């Protein structure tokens, strides 16, 4: 199936808010919503004034260059940016997420730093027994994240 356009997403958000009275909308995707950064940015701009509070759940990769600048501008319209950072270093990050592109850990860290300058950023990690969660929290805080939260590990 085709990915929805920003206009379609805006209509969906508007209709959902009108029908349910919901106050918040979470933007996430199968994968990372920033893989379609142009659609996410346009949706946020179109939805401005809807009264909804927006949260963006992301890995924070792929928002570089001109696209990254547009994303940072759009993040000013988001109440919370939640970045999943599963490990305190590139080696373990690559082992856990198996990113397609090299440098994903560095991109994610750069995104947290840049996003923290314009938005409320929360970093999350899973409380896995093989991850030094305290080190992830220290990294998140050093990058400027306003919050750090762990999620439960459900095992393998």
């Amino acid at each position: 199936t085709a990915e929805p356009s920003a206009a379609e997403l805006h209509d969906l958000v508007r209709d959902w808010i009108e029908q349910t009275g919901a106050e918040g909308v979470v933007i996430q995707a199968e994968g990372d919503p920033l893989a379609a950064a142009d659609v996410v940015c346009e949706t946020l701009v179109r939805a401005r004034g809807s009264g909804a509070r927006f949260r963006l759940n992301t890995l924070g990769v792929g928002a570089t260059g001109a696209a990254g600048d547009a994303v940072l501008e759009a993040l000013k319209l988001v109440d919370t940016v939640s970045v999943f950072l599963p490990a305190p270093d590139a080696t373990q990050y690559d082992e856990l997420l198996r990113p397609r592109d090299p440098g994903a850990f560095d991109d994610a860290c750069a995104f947290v730093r840049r996003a923290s300058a314009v938005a409320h950023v929360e970093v999350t990690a899973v409380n896995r027994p093989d991850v030094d969660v305290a080190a992830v929290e220290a990294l998140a805080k050093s990058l400027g994240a306003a919050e750090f939260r762990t999620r439960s590990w459900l095992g393998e």
Side-chain angles (χ1 to χ4, degrees), residues 10-64:
H10 171 261
D11 291 348
L12 179 67
V13 167
R14 183 198 61 228
D15 294 348
W16 186 71
I17 290 170
E18 287 175 2
Q19 293 170 10
T20 66
E23 296 177 359
V25 176
V26 176
I27 298 174
Q28 63 183 46
E30 187 174 313
D32 194 321
L34 293 182
D38 56 336
V39 173
V40 170
C41 292
E42 186 179 340
T43 300
L44 288 167
V45 169
R46 285 173 176 261
R48 181 180 23 209
S50 68
R53 295 181 15 214
F54 286 87
R55 173 188 184 94
L56 172 67
N57 290 348
T58 180
L59 296 172
V61 297
T64 57

Side-chain angles (χ1 to χ4, degrees), residues 95-150:
E95 288 171 5
L96 294 173
L97 291 187
R98 299 184 191 141
R100 285 182 269 195
D101 298 322
F105 175 78
D106 292 336
D107 287 350
C109 290
F111 179 80
V112 171
R113 182 177 289 112
R114 291 181 73 201
S116 294
V118 298
H120 181 89
V121 175
E122 166 194 79
V123 169
T124 65
V126 174
N127 196 10
R128 294 173 55 119
D130 58 340
V131 171
D132 183 349
V133 174
V136 179
E137 180 175 13
L139 174 61
K141 296 292 185 179
S142 76
L143 295 171
E147 291 183 65
F148 178 79
R149 183 171 55 88
T150 58

